[in-house]
Amino acid sequence: MSVVPYRDQRDSKKSQVAQMFNSIAHRYDFLNHFLSAGIDHYWRRRAVDELLASKPRRILDVATGTADLAIAALRADPEHITGVDISEGMLSVGRQKLTERHLTDRITLLQGDSEALDFPDNSFDAIMAAYGVRNFENLDRGLAEMYRVLRPGGKLVVLEFSKPRAFPMKQLYNGYFKFVLPTVGKLISQDRAAYSYLPESVQAFPDGEGFLQHLRQVGFETPKWKSLTFGISSIYTASK
């Protein structure tokens, strides 16, 4: 059974994830930066570094949320970035940021299903996703859609939480994720389930070599991964 935010509901995971992010959208950016002690900025920068050499003109940011990764990806100097997310609440916050920073001509945010992308085949030179693929209802379907809309020769970059395996980081990480993060997240976001779901979804996600296998299964070539910050996050890359 897949991990869902609200175990007392019968709605699909997709519907529950949208509900959860709509609920916490107003505090999401603050909690992201606060709970990661700001290191999330570094993680996104490392992800964008993976795109610089290929100089993509058209970039798709899947599960864009409030558009932090899309904004960071402007450093790759693309012609345009499109962000897609299932949560209108998160997109609303993202659009406000784009307006305040005068970036609406460079980044477009659209509500949509990451497992049924509304774009033609081979539409983008690069596809990114940060901390979103573990929320897919069907992981392989979502990855297959990303493969479909990526042009031949294009690059995929996925940033996702992973599970540290070495002492003492493993123990510190597990304690923080299981006790500190849900308590602080609940107090600030007022959503009891959202920050309990986060560590549960990370534990259920097939990180490392397991995720590379999923990339291979849907057709991606030369999948690789590198660990960040003692294994707390990982960057995955692949090509079409």
Side-chain angles (χ1 to χ4, degrees):
M1 183 177 179
S2 64
V3 175
V4 295
Y6 307 106
R7 281 172 285 188
D8 58 338
Q9 296 184 11
R10 295 186 178 181
D11 295 338
S12 67
K13 178 175 180 177
K14 193 176 300 182
S15 175
Q16 291 193 34
V17 165
Q19 176 186 343
M20 178 189 74
F21 281 114
N22 285 336
S23 170
I24 65 174
H26 66 297
R27 302 301 287 164
Y28 180 81
D29 282 343
F30 170 78
L31 281 166
N32 241 14
H33 307 325
F34 177 75
L35 292 170
S36 71
I39 203 167
D40 59 307
H41 295 289
Y42 165 73
W43 292 335
R44 281 190 294 274
R45 185 176 182 85
R46 288 291 304 274
V48 173
D49 285 346
E50 298 290 337
L51 296 178
L52 298 181
S54 59
K55 299 180 179 179
R57 309 318 301 155
R58 297 161 300 165
I59 299 176
L60 176 65
D61 183 21
V62 173
T64 190
T66 63
D68 272 352
L69 182 60
I71 292 170
L74 291 173
R75 191 162 54 90
D77 196 29
E79 290 178 0
H80 197 76
I81 299 174
T82 303
V84 174
D85 201 277
I86 198 171
S87 166
E88 183 57 42
M90 296 284 277
L91 292 171
S92 178
V93 175
R95 291 189 186 108
Q96 183 177 348
K97 284 197 285 191
L98 297 183
T99 299
E100 291 171 352
R101 303 180 192 193
H102 307 288
L103 296 174
T104 54
D105 60 331
R106 302 196 65 191
I107 301 173
T108 300
L109 301 183
L110 303 172
Q111 185 176 25
D113 184 349
S114 299
E115 297 172 41
L117 294 169
D118 192 19
F119 305 106
D121 295 357
N122 310 318
S123 293
F124 298 95
D125 303 305
I127 297 181
M128 313 179 297
Y131 308 108
V133 296
R134 75 177 188 286
N135 297 318
F136 289 172
E137 188 167 74
N138 185 310
L139 177 59
D140 287 341
R141 186 178 301 155
L143 294 178
E145 277 293 274
M146 295 161 82
Y147 180 86
R148 179 182 67 79
V149 301
L150 183 65
R151 69 162 176 81
K155 188 166 187 178
L156 173 74
V157 179
V158 173
L159 182 61
E160 190 53 85
F161 287 115
S162 48
K163 299 180 281 289
R165 291 172 169 81
F167 177 87
M169 183 53 66
K170 175 181 177 179
Q171 288 72 19
L172 293 171
Y173 174 88
N174 288 340
Y176 180 77
F177 252 44
K178 290 179 181 178
F179 303 109
V180 178
L181 187 147
T183 301
V184 175
K186 180 177 69 175
L187 286 172
I188 296 177
S189 73
Q190 301 301 305
D191 188 308
R192 297 175 61 87
Y195 288 87
S196 296
Y197 164 77
L198 193 156
E200 292 172 359
S201 66
V202 172
Q203 287 299 317
F205 182 72
D207 62 332
E209 182 60 35
F211 186 61
L212 298 188
Q213 290 291 349
H214 283 273
L215 293 174
R216 294 186 187 100
Q217 283 174 204
V218 301
F220 282 105
E221 298 179 353
T222 61
K224 300 176 184 178
W225 71 288
K226 59 181 68 174
S227 179
L228 300 175
T229 317
F230 307 106
I232 295 174
S233 277
S234 293
I235 295 176
Y236 301 90
T237 59
S239 60
K240 176 177 176 179

